[in-house]
Amino acid sequence: MRRSDRRQSGTLIALPPYEQKDPMAKSAPSFRCSECGATHAKWSGRCEACGAWNSIVEESPLSKVPGSGLGGAKGKLIQLSALDTKEAPPKRALAGMPELDRVLGGGLVAASAILVGGDPGIGKSTLLLQAAAAFARTGLKTLYISGEEAASQVRMRAARLGLADAPVGLGAETSLRDILTTLEAERPDLVVIDSIQTMWSDRVESAPGSVSQLRAAAHELVSFAKRRGTAVILVGHVTKDGQIAGPRVIEHMVDTVLYFEGERGHQFRILRAVKNRFGPASEIGVFEMTGAGLAEVANPSALFLSERGQAAPGSAVFAGIEGTRPVLTEIQALVAPSSLASPRRTVVGLDSGRISTILAVLESRCGIPFTGLDVFLNVAGGMKVIEPAADLAAAAALLSAREDTALPADMVIFGEISLSGALRPVGQAENRLKEAAKLGFSQAIAPTGTKTDGTTGMSMRKLGDLVTFTGEMFGAG
Ligand code: TYD
Ligand code: MG
């Protein structure tokens, strides 16, 4: 039946008289996933939207949040302006910590709201205490509100980090009402809230740590930032068990979202901008956790390659770009006969879906099977690489491990692999090559069509597809 036919034969269904209810005013309990924020009509052990277990919590309606709903009152006209209205660029303050300033998009913007997320124990409090002290020392009026640690604990940490003399106002409090009253009285330039999940508003009935509390607290603090021109930094714990709501729920409310990541066993920490209304996203800052707090790493490539010894099978150096900066990393692969019916595919620091694709392309386009072989792949130093430009370096590491042949130690590799096995050029080739040349590399492999001007003095080999690459490098395929 065609759609027009159906429309002709339809009749209006009879509806009983009904009234449109304000959805905010309903009083029935609702259930929300604390990981992804999806709402559900009833509780269940697993969220159907994101698949997380034990993450669904009951929440009370949002009607108590100020400013929600019209309530029948008449609004006033908002002021409209032209798009080309001249306005000064936002005022920025530099902390004097280059790694942090760059991730913020070139300094801290007044009246901005920033979320810093990360696993518990990764170093968020340490980073933000150092940042608060750095900003305070440049003359910004700075407050640090801890909801997790007692003031004495924070003071002890400050002393250990050599920051005790920084003019930071320290408070240990979790009541949002008291914090906002203090902020109204103090009117600081910057306030750090550590962490947003410990804050509770007496206007919302649900328990501290719930989605409603998290939203209400973030909403009030972000409104304060916009109203008074204070920059607000919110710390958010990433949680796996769903006992407290995760920071994803408030990502949309803030201007900038930074994630602080790193492997537990490694001392390197990466601050990554995943959203920034005032600068490029995907920018990273690299830090090292030392006995005296976080030290900035000005040259991450040198650090990530520092553990590399002699040329060994299974190692390939990828010339990558993180935000606006080139970063070289070593991709390591191990391929071994498997005793399992379905061999292992263990991938750390790279997208495992992409690695499966590369393995499939190697098998069906180049005739190099990995069946019956366990595959382990990781990025040295605990770095995460999300660029598709890493495809060719990952393939090179896999092949090098499988063929037990080392790649030349002075070679960098970059390029994207398409499903057909063709190599696709990637952006910023010159920047990648310059960084590689600076670190002493002298040859590079890149896809045909890569734009280079030859000023780096690197010896370039440009290849059109993966079959040519495997043939040239390993005589396979
Ligand atoms: P912390 O900043 O408390 O983490 P978060 O706020 O993200 O939960 O950092 C906790 C870890 O950092 C802890 O395991 C100890 C380590 N650490 C150092 O190694 N050096 C230091 O100078 C400090 C202050 C902490
Ligand atoms: Mg902390």
Side-chain angles (χ1 to χ4, degrees):
M1 203 202 282
R2 290 214 320 272
R3 186 180 291 181
S4 54
D5 298 335
R6 211 185 313 157
R7 197 183 300 158
Q8 273 166 6
S9 60
T11 51
L12 283 173
I13 53 168
L15 293 170
Y18 71 102
E19 197 187 341
Q20 181 94 50
K21 283 219 183 86
D22 178 359
M24 295 302 223
K26 72 174 192 290
S27 58
S30 64
F31 297 87
R32 191 182 287 276
C33 171
S34 54
E35 288 296 310
C36 69
T39 49
H40 300 274
K42 58 182 178 26
W43 190 87
S44 71
R46 183 168 180 267
C47 171
E48 276 167 31
C50 71
W53 288 94
N54 263 333
S55 63
I56 294 178
V57 288
E58 183 175 345
E59 75 168 350
S60 60
L62 274 173
S63 58
K64 301 251 167 66
V65 176
S68 61
L70 288 171
K74 199 162 180 289
K76 61 177 194 290
L77 288 172
I78 57 171
Q79 204 184 348
L80 304 171
S81 63
L83 275 179
D84 68 349
T85 310
K86 293 275 178 293
E87 241 178 279
K91 264 201 295 180
R92 290 180 183 270
L94 294 173
M97 295 169 67
E99 293 297 303
L100 175 67
D101 290 334
R102 182 163 17 84
V103 177
L104 288 171
L108 182 72
V109 176
S112 66
I114 298 155
L115 171 69
V116 178
D119 290 324
I122 204 76
K124 299 181 295 299
S125 301
T126 309
L127 175 72
L128 290 168
L129 189 61
Q130 287 181 251
F135 280 116
R137 281 175 175 160
T138 67
L140 251 54
K141 182 166 181 181
T142 306
L143 300 188
Y144 184 98
I145 310 292
S146 177
E148 301 196 335
E149 290 161 290
S152 59
Q153 270 176 295
V154 181
R155 254 184 249 118
M156 251 158 57
R157 175 178 295 166
R160 204 147 73 77
L161 299 176
L163 305 171
D165 61 332
V168 176
L170 173 64
E173 187 51 66
T174 57
S175 157
L176 197 60
R177 186 181 292 274
D178 296 349
I179 291 170
L180 285 167
T181 307
T182 311
L183 292 179
E184 285 290 352
E186 294 280 333
R187 297 280 181 90
D189 298 309
L190 166 67
V191 59
V192 176
I193 305 288
D194 186 3
S195 67
I196 187 69
Q197 282 125 333
T198 52
M199 299 298 143
W200 65 277
S201 166
D202 51 16
R203 298 206 234 195
V204 179
E205 274 164 20
S206 47
S210 66
V211 176
S212 332
Q213 281 288 1
L214 184 63
R215 289 204 172 159
H219 174 80
E220 301 246 5
L221 288 162
V222 172
S223 321
F224 174 81
K226 302 296 160 197
R227 199 165 64 238
R228 299 296 186 208
T230 298
V232 174
I233 301 182
L234 309 175
V235 176
H237 288 294
V238 172
T239 59
K240 300 275 185 295
D241 58 6
Q243 290 299 312
I244 52 172
R248 295 217 72 127
V249 176
I250 53 167
E251 276 186 356
H252 66 283
M253 293 186 197
V254 296
D255 302 306
T256 303
V257 177
L258 311 178
Y259 276 93
F260 203 37
E261 18 176 87
E263 299 289 324
R264 275 293 161 91
H266 286 102
Q267 71 270 40
F268 313 128
R269 299 282 181 271
I270 290 159
L271 186 65
R272 189 185 292 275
V274 296
K275 159 182 170 179
N276 197 350
R277 288 185 184 146
F278 304 111
S282 84
E283 194 72 80
I284 64 164
V286 183
F287 297 86
E288 192 177 347
M289 184 59 100
T290 69
L294 289 154
E296 294 186 90
V297 175
N299 190 344
S301 302
L303 181 91
F304 290 132
L305 298 180
S306 61
E307 287 162 21
R308 212 167 64 106
Q310 295 291 304
S315 156
V317 177
F318 166 54
I321 297 280
E322 294 290 339
T324 55
R325 179 166 63 167
V327 175
L328 265 53
T329 43
E330 183 193 2
I331 297 181
Q332 301 169 333
L334 178 67
V335 174
S338 178
S339 56
L340 301 170
S342 56
R344 275 178 215 281
R345 301 284 182 258
T346 306
V347 180
V348 180
L350 289 156
D351 178 24
S352 55
R354 265 202 108 80
I355 299 306
S356 303
T357 311
I358 293 171
L359 289 171
V361 173
L362 281 170
E363 177 149 4
S364 55
R365 306 289 175 198
C366 311
I368 304 174
F370 282 79
T371 31
L373 297 171
D374 283 334
V375 171
F376 305 89
L377 199 66
N378 78 287
V379 181
M383 174 77 182
K384 256 188 212 148
V385 176
I386 42 184
E387 261 193 302
D391 289 356
L392 189 55
L398 287 168
L399 287 165
S400 162
R402 188 181 183 282
E403 307 295 318
D404 201 25
T405 310
L407 292 158
D410 63 345
M411 173 184 277
V412 294
I413 300 173
F414 59 92
E416 191 178 336
I417 299 174
S418 71
L419 287 181
S420 66
L423 302 185
R424 280 202 216 116
V426 294
Q428 305 204 47
E430 271 309 309
N431 275 342
R432 298 174 199 266
L433 293 171
K434 257 183 228 152
E435 177 80 358
K438 207 167 78 187
L439 284 148
F441 290 86
S442 53
Q443 47 176 324
I445 294 196
T448 306
T450 301
K451 289 196 191 74
T452 49
D453 54 19
T455 52
T456 51
M458 295 276 278
S459 132
M460 288 287 298
R461 206 124 48 103
K462 297 186 188 175
L463 304 173
D465 54 57
L466 198 54
V467 177
T468 324
F469 175 78
T470 54
E472 283 212 11
M473 299 306 296
F474 305 100

Short mmCIF file of all heavy atoms in Angstrom, two decimals, residues 114-118 123-125 128-129 144-145 148 191-199 214 232-238 247 250:
data_model
loop_
_atom_site.label_atom_id
_atom_site.label_comp_id
_atom_site.label_asym_id
_atom_site.label_seq_id
_atom_site.Cartn_x
_atom_site.Cartn_y
_atom_site.Cartn_z
N ILE A 114 34.50 25.06 33.22
CA ILE A 114 35.38 24.00 32.74
C ILE A 114 35.16 22.74 33.58
O ILE A 114 35.13 22.81 34.80
CB ILE A 114 36.86 24.45 32.86
CG1 ILE A 114 37.09 25.69 31.99
CG2 ILE A 114 37.82 23.33 32.48
CD1 ILE A 114 38.22 26.55 32.44
N LEU A 115 35.01 21.63 32.91
CA LEU A 115 34.88 20.35 33.61
C LEU A 115 36.17 19.58 33.43
O LEU A 115 36.66 19.42 32.31
CB LEU A 115 33.70 19.57 33.01
CG LEU A 115 33.53 18.12 33.45
CD1 LEU A 115 33.11 18.06 34.91
CD2 LEU A 115 32.47 17.42 32.59
N VAL A 116 36.76 19.12 34.52
CA VAL A 116 37.95 18.27 34.45
C VAL A 116 37.57 16.89 34.96
O VAL A 116 37.35 16.70 36.16
CB VAL A 116 39.12 18.86 35.26
CG1 VAL A 116 40.33 17.93 35.19
CG2 VAL A 116 39.50 20.23 34.73
N GLY A 117 37.45 15.93 34.06
CA GLY A 117 37.04 14.58 34.45
C GLY A 117 38.22 13.64 34.50
O GLY A 117 39.28 13.92 33.92
N GLY A 118 38.06 12.53 35.18
CA GLY A 118 39.12 11.52 35.23
C GLY A 118 38.84 10.48 36.28
O GLY A 118 38.00 10.69 37.17
N GLY A 123 45.01 12.03 39.69
CA GLY A 123 45.78 13.25 39.96
C GLY A 123 45.04 14.55 39.71
O GLY A 123 45.67 15.61 39.57
N LYS A 124 43.72 14.51 39.68
CA LYS A 124 42.94 15.72 39.39
C LYS A 124 43.13 16.79 40.47
O LYS A 124 43.35 17.96 40.17
CB LYS A 124 41.44 15.38 39.27
CG LYS A 124 41.12 14.42 38.16
CD LYS A 124 39.64 14.14 38.08
CE LYS A 124 39.07 13.43 39.29
NZ LYS A 124 39.66 12.11 39.55
N SER A 125 43.05 16.34 41.74
CA SER A 125 43.18 17.32 42.83
C SER A 125 44.58 17.93 42.83
O SER A 125 44.73 19.13 43.06
CB SER A 125 42.91 16.64 44.17
OG SER A 125 41.62 16.10 44.18
N LEU A 128 44.78 20.47 39.94
CA LEU A 128 44.01 21.69 40.12
C LEU A 128 44.51 22.54 41.28
O LEU A 128 44.39 23.76 41.25
CB LEU A 128 42.53 21.36 40.24
CG LEU A 128 42.04 20.89 38.87
CD1 LEU A 128 40.67 20.28 38.94
CD2 LEU A 128 42.05 22.03 37.87
N LEU A 129 45.11 21.88 42.28
CA LEU A 129 45.72 22.67 43.36
C LEU A 129 46.93 23.43 42.79
O LEU A 129 47.12 24.61 43.06
CB LEU A 129 46.14 21.76 44.51
CG LEU A 129 46.60 22.48 45.77
CD1 LEU A 129 45.49 23.35 46.33
CD2 LEU A 129 47.07 21.49 46.82
N TYR A 144 39.64 27.66 46.32
CA TYR A 144 39.66 26.21 46.09
C TYR A 144 38.72 25.58 47.12
O TYR A 144 38.98 25.66 48.32
CB TYR A 144 41.09 25.68 46.27
CG TYR A 144 41.26 24.21 45.96
CD1 TYR A 144 41.74 23.80 44.72
CD2 TYR A 144 40.93 23.24 46.90
CE1 TYR A 144 41.90 22.45 44.44
CE2 TYR A 144 41.09 21.89 46.61
CZ TYR A 144 41.57 21.51 45.38
OH TYR A 144 41.72 20.18 45.10
N ILE A 145 37.61 25.03 46.65
CA ILE A 145 36.62 24.44 47.55
C ILE A 145 36.72 22.93 47.44
O ILE A 145 36.48 22.36 46.37
CB ILE A 145 35.18 24.87 47.20
CG1 ILE A 145 35.08 26.39 47.04
CG2 ILE A 145 34.20 24.34 48.24
CD1 ILE A 145 35.26 27.18 48.29
N GLU A 148 35.84 16.84 49.28
CA GLU A 148 36.28 15.46 49.52
C GLU A 148 37.27 15.37 50.65
O GLU A 148 37.29 14.41 51.40
CB GLU A 148 36.94 14.91 48.25
CG GLU A 148 36.00 14.93 47.10
CD GLU A 148 36.45 14.06 45.96
OE1 GLU A 148 37.66 13.83 45.85
OE2 GLU A 148 35.58 13.64 45.20
N VAL A 191 37.26 29.86 40.68
CA VAL A 191 36.97 28.95 41.78
C VAL A 191 37.07 27.51 41.28
O VAL A 191 36.61 27.19 40.19
CB VAL A 191 35.60 29.24 42.44
CG1 VAL A 191 34.45 29.13 41.45
CG2 VAL A 191 35.35 28.29 43.61
N VAL A 192 37.73 26.68 42.07
CA VAL A 192 37.84 25.25 41.76
C VAL A 192 36.90 24.50 42.70
O VAL A 192 36.96 24.70 43.91
CB VAL A 192 39.29 24.75 41.94
CG1 VAL A 192 39.37 23.24 41.70
CG2 VAL A 192 40.24 25.49 41.01
N ILE A 193 36.02 23.67 42.15
CA ILE A 193 35.10 22.86 42.96
C ILE A 193 35.54 21.40 42.85
O ILE A 193 35.44 20.80 41.78
CB ILE A 193 33.64 23.01 42.44
CG1 ILE A 193 33.20 24.47 42.39
CG2 ILE A 193 32.70 22.15 43.27
CD1 ILE A 193 32.95 25.11 43.73
N ASP A 194 36.04 20.85 43.94
CA ASP A 194 36.61 19.50 43.92
C ASP A 194 35.87 18.62 44.92
O ASP A 194 36.12 18.70 46.11
CB ASP A 194 38.10 19.59 44.28
CG ASP A 194 38.81 18.25 44.14
OD1 ASP A 194 38.17 17.28 43.72
OD2 ASP A 194 40.01 18.19 44.49
N SER A 195 34.97 17.77 44.55
CA SER A 195 34.48 17.53 43.21
C SER A 195 33.00 17.89 43.13
O SER A 195 32.36 18.00 44.17
CB SER A 195 34.65 16.04 42.88
OG SER A 195 33.77 15.30 43.70
N ILE A 196 32.50 18.01 41.93
CA ILE A 196 31.10 18.40 41.73
C ILE A 196 30.17 17.32 42.28
O ILE A 196 29.05 17.60 42.71
CB ILE A 196 30.85 18.68 40.22
CG1 ILE A 196 29.44 19.25 39.97
CG2 ILE A 196 31.09 17.47 39.35
CD1 ILE A 196 29.20 20.63 40.48
N GLN A 197 30.65 16.07 42.32
CA GLN A 197 29.78 14.98 42.80
C GLN A 197 29.56 14.99 44.31
O GLN A 197 28.67 14.32 44.80
CB GLN A 197 30.34 13.62 42.36
CG GLN A 197 30.05 13.33 40.91
CD GLN A 197 31.30 13.03 40.12
OE1 GLN A 197 32.38 13.48 40.47
NE2 GLN A 197 31.16 12.27 39.05
N THR A 198 30.41 15.73 45.03
CA THR A 198 30.21 15.78 46.48
C THR A 198 29.30 16.94 46.87
O THR A 198 28.91 17.06 48.03
CB THR A 198 31.55 15.95 47.23
OG1 THR A 198 32.22 17.09 46.66
CG2 THR A 198 32.43 14.74 47.08
N MET A 199 28.97 17.82 45.93
CA MET A 199 28.15 18.99 46.24
C MET A 199 26.69 18.58 46.32
O MET A 199 26.23 17.76 45.55
CB MET A 199 28.31 20.05 45.15
CG MET A 199 29.74 20.54 45.00
SD MET A 199 30.26 21.31 46.54
CE MET A 199 31.97 20.79 46.62
N LEU A 214 23.74 16.32 40.74
CA LEU A 214 24.87 16.71 39.91
C LEU A 214 24.47 17.82 38.95
O LEU A 214 25.15 18.84 38.80
CB LEU A 214 25.35 15.48 39.13
CG LEU A 214 26.58 15.63 38.26
CD1 LEU A 214 27.77 15.96 39.12
CD2 LEU A 214 26.85 14.35 37.49
N VAL A 232 34.87 29.01 36.50
CA VAL A 232 34.58 27.92 37.42
C VAL A 232 35.16 26.62 36.86
O VAL A 232 34.90 26.27 35.72
CB VAL A 232 33.05 27.76 37.62
CG1 VAL A 232 32.74 26.53 38.45
CG2 VAL A 232 32.46 29.00 38.27
N ILE A 233 35.98 25.95 37.67
CA ILE A 233 36.50 24.65 37.26
C ILE A 233 35.84 23.58 38.12
O ILE A 233 35.92 23.63 39.35
CB ILE A 233 38.04 24.57 37.40
CG1 ILE A 233 38.70 25.65 36.54
CG2 ILE A 233 38.55 23.19 37.00
CD1 ILE A 233 40.22 25.64 36.58
N LEU A 234 35.15 22.64 37.49
CA LEU A 234 34.47 21.56 38.20
C LEU A 234 35.26 20.27 38.01
O LEU A 234 35.60 19.91 36.89
CB LEU A 234 33.06 21.36 37.64
CG LEU A 234 32.16 22.60 37.54
CD1 LEU A 234 30.85 22.25 36.85
CD2 LEU A 234 31.90 23.17 38.93
N VAL A 235 35.56 19.59 39.11
CA VAL A 235 36.23 18.30 39.02
C VAL A 235 35.15 17.22 39.00
O VAL A 235 34.20 17.28 39.78
CB VAL A 235 37.15 18.09 40.23
CG1 VAL A 235 37.78 16.70 40.20
CG2 VAL A 235 38.23 19.15 40.26
N GLY A 236 35.26 16.26 38.11
CA GLY A 236 34.27 15.18 38.04
C GLY A 236 34.93 13.82 38.00
O GLY A 236 35.82 13.58 37.19
N HIS A 237 34.49 12.93 38.89
CA HIS A 237 35.04 11.58 38.88
C HIS A 237 34.36 10.74 37.83
O HIS A 237 33.13 10.70 37.77
CB HIS A 237 34.84 10.88 40.23
CG HIS A 237 35.70 11.44 41.30
ND1 HIS A 237 37.06 11.31 41.27
CD2 HIS A 237 35.40 12.13 42.41
CE1 HIS A 237 37.56 11.90 42.34
NE2 HIS A 237 36.57 12.42 43.04
N VAL A 238 35.13 10.04 37.04
CA VAL A 238 34.56 9.06 36.13
C VAL A 238 34.31 7.82 36.97
O VAL A 238 35.19 7.36 37.68
CB VAL A 238 35.54 8.74 34.99
CG1 VAL A 238 35.03 7.59 34.15
CG2 VAL A 238 35.75 9.97 34.13
N PRO A 247 30.52 12.34 35.07
CA PRO A 247 30.60 13.71 34.57
C PRO A 247 30.02 13.92 33.18
O PRO A 247 29.75 15.05 32.80
CB PRO A 247 32.10 14.00 34.58
CG PRO A 247 32.78 12.69 34.62
CD PRO A 247 31.84 11.73 35.27
N ILE A 250 26.96 16.25 32.68
CA ILE A 250 27.01 17.72 32.68
C ILE A 250 27.91 18.28 31.58
O ILE A 250 28.12 19.48 31.52
CB ILE A 250 27.44 18.28 34.06
CG1 ILE A 250 28.74 17.65 34.53
CG2 ILE A 250 26.35 18.06 35.09
CD1 ILE A 250 29.35 18.37 35.70
#
